[in-house]
Amino acid sequence: MELTRRQETILEIVKRSGPITGDQIAERLSLTRATLRPDLAILTMSGLLEARPRVGYYYSGRSPNRVVAEKLCSVKVGTIISIPAVVTENCSVYDAVVAMFIKDVGTLFVVKEVGLLEGVLSRKDLLKTTLGGHDIHQLPVGVIMTRMPNVIYTTSDETVWSAAKKLITHQVDALPVVRSATQADGGEGLEVIGRLSKTNITRLFVELGEGQ
């Protein structure tokens, strides 16, 4: 989060003299309260300052980086996910390549016909297979995909912070977002309900930077 010079000055005044009223801050800067109102609103909404009626503004004790971190820890995966790009296990490698380009994604999720997660197929998987001299029109993706239970996934209730750490730790571009589901045989499975990608997280950072 980048502050203007005036906002940084206001922050320093409140750190040294808080609690302090808006009129007192304006007087020290030789400005009107109306002029400062947008800056005080930004600093308050961002969590850097707190305000109490008849008391004034005081420093929250949080740095701009800490405010962003706390925001990421409060945002749930389910609020920023995208529609998942899926194929079935019998889909040919050729058709998977076409699907990946058409849907403009770097990862495909392999599911059963009822939508339960079976595996994950990355751009790297397809590239290695295509360059390996295989008959990609006949080879099913089930042969080359990463299968359960080796698939890293997330849920709607997980925080974006935690899910982002999974992306980095496991060096993947996207995670399937799943929820528990009962299979036809009575067993438990994971239904794919969304996709969390690095693009989703980047978009969130942009929105935070714009104060949304």
Side-chain angles (χ1 to χ4, degrees), residues 1 55 76-77 83 106 120 126 148 155 165 176-177 189 203 211:
M1 179 179 179
V55 175
K76 302 296 185 182
V77 166
I83 297 174
V120 170
L126 295 177
M148 294 292 289
T155 64
K165 288 175 67 177
V177 184
R203 186 177 295 115

Side-chain angles (χ1 to χ4, degrees), residues 82-101:
S82 303
I83 297 174
V86 301
V87 294
T88 62
E89 186 175 359
N90 294 325
C91 172
S92 70
V93 170
Y94 175 83
D95 287 337
V97 171
V98 173
M100 187 171 282
F101 275 98

Side-chain angles (χ1 to χ4, degrees), residues 57-115:
Y57 295 92
Y58 61 96
Y59 181 53
S60 68
R62 292 179 291 178
S63 67
N65 288 341
R66 183 59 189 167
V67 171
V68 173
E70 289 178 358
K71 180 65 175 177
L72 289 177
C73 288
S74 69
V75 177
K76 302 296 185 182
V77 166
T79 64
I80 67 168
I81 59 176
S82 303
I83 297 174
V86 301
V87 294
T88 62
E89 186 175 359
N90 294 325
C91 172
S92 70
V93 170
Y94 175 83
D95 287 337
V97 171
V98 173
M100 187 171 282
F101 275 98
I102 291 177
K103 297 177 181 180
D104 192 23
V105 295
T107 306
L108 295 173
F109 305 136
V110 184
V111 300
K112 298 179 181 179
E113 292 183 358
V114 291

